[in-house]
Amino acid sequence: MATLEKAGVRKVFTDATDLPTVQRPGFSDMLAYIHTGDEIVITSLTNLGTDNSELSAALDAICARNTSLNILNFPSFAAVHDASERWQLTCAIRDLADFAKHRNGAGTGLITVVEPTHGDRGRKREYAPDSPNPAKRAIYREVLEMLTARLPVTQIAKTVGINRKQIYRIKEYAQESGDLVSSVR
């Protein structure tokens, strides 16, 4: 709430999330309340729907009212002073969501639930930043520091007490996930 008040929100509408956005009473009340040129402030784009179909429907309803959207965890349209241009940017987000929905089928694109993938066999990685074992998380971080310092793999393996093959696995995973720059040998 404090974040919304800080953004200059005059009236707050809330909803339960068990219904699609356009069927929620709070969303309907908000659409009835807003006027052309108003700005709707939300904390996240996911507040408008759990998939692209819901997102598209909600953005269609918002664009139809000639209002703009300010998504607080999104690049801001605050620098755009013309309300008409902010509305056009809001409609561009709607069009992007609609494109993603039709391109890949409903439920994919802008808002997607991504299941974590760990390894080829679906197992959780032993040495990873999100490993359930805190000691192995620490070893992962230590190995990354040593790889960044360009220490030889054999030396790293002896220092942390795991085999070289595991060091190479950690290195490969870290490069794929962006935790380690690929220029490290």
Side-chain angles (χ1 to χ4, degrees), residues 127-128 135-174 179-180 184-185:
Y127 299 93
K136 292 186 178 183
R137 281 195 308 264
I139 289 172
Y140 175 82
R141 285 191 299 271
E142 191 175 352
V143 167
L144 289 186
E145 288 174 15
M146 290 187 225
L147 286 169
T148 303
R150 297 183 183 265
L151 294 175
V153 172
T154 304
Q155 183 181 347
I156 296 171
K158 286 179 184 175
T159 303
V160 297
I162 59 178
N163 65 41
R164 291 180 321 132
K165 189 173 183 179
Q166 188 64 50
I167 301 294
Y168 284 113
R169 283 190 200 119
I170 291 171
K171 179 180 175 183
E172 182 181 338
Y173 174 73
D179 289 342
L180 185 66
V184 176
R185 290 187 232 148

Side-chain angles (χ1 to χ4, degrees), residues 10-165:
R10 291 188 320 244
K11 186 158 176 72
V12 175
F13 297 90
T14 59
D15 267 323
T17 58
D18 55 341
L19 293 171
T21 307
V22 293
Q23 296 175 6
R24 297 178 190 165
F27 187 77
S28 299
D29 292 346
M30 181 205 55
L31 288 178
Y33 177 82
I34 60 177
H35 298 79
T36 298
D38 283 349
E39 179 179 68
I40 298 168
V41 178
I42 58 174
T43 55
S44 171
L45 193 58
T46 57
N47 293 6
L48 293 180
T50 56
D51 61 34
N52 282 328
S53 296
E54 281 186 38
L55 180 61
S56 274
L59 289 169
D60 279 340
I62 291 168
C63 286
R65 305 293 276 166
N66 275 345
T67 57
S68 62
L69 189 60
N70 184 355
I71 307 162
L72 297 181
N73 70 346
F74 220 60
S76 176
F77 298 155
V80 180
H81 298 292
D82 185 342
S84 174
E85 289 178 8
R86 282 195 308 272
W87 171 76
Q88 289 174 351
L89 290 168
T90 300
C91 292
I93 292 171
R94 177 207 53 200
D95 295 342
L96 182 61
D98 195 45
F99 169 76
K101 176 181 71 177
H102 293 298
R103 181 181 59 113
N104 291 332
T108 59
L110 284 181
I111 297 177
T112 307
V113 176
V114 177
E115 294 297 325
T117 56
H118 298 284
D120 297 331
R121 296 176 300 279
R123 291 187 326 189
K124 190 133 179 98
R125 288 189 178 272
E126 259 186 293
Y127 299 93
D130 59 347
S131 172
N133 184 330
K136 292 186 178 183
R137 281 195 308 264
I139 289 172
Y140 175 82
R141 285 191 299 271
E142 191 175 352
V143 167
L144 289 186
E145 288 174 15
M146 290 187 225
L147 286 169
T148 303
R150 297 183 183 265
L151 294 175
V153 172
T154 304
Q155 183 181 347
I156 296 171
K158 286 179 184 175
T159 303
V160 297
I162 59 178
N163 65 41
R164 291 180 321 132
K165 189 173 183 179

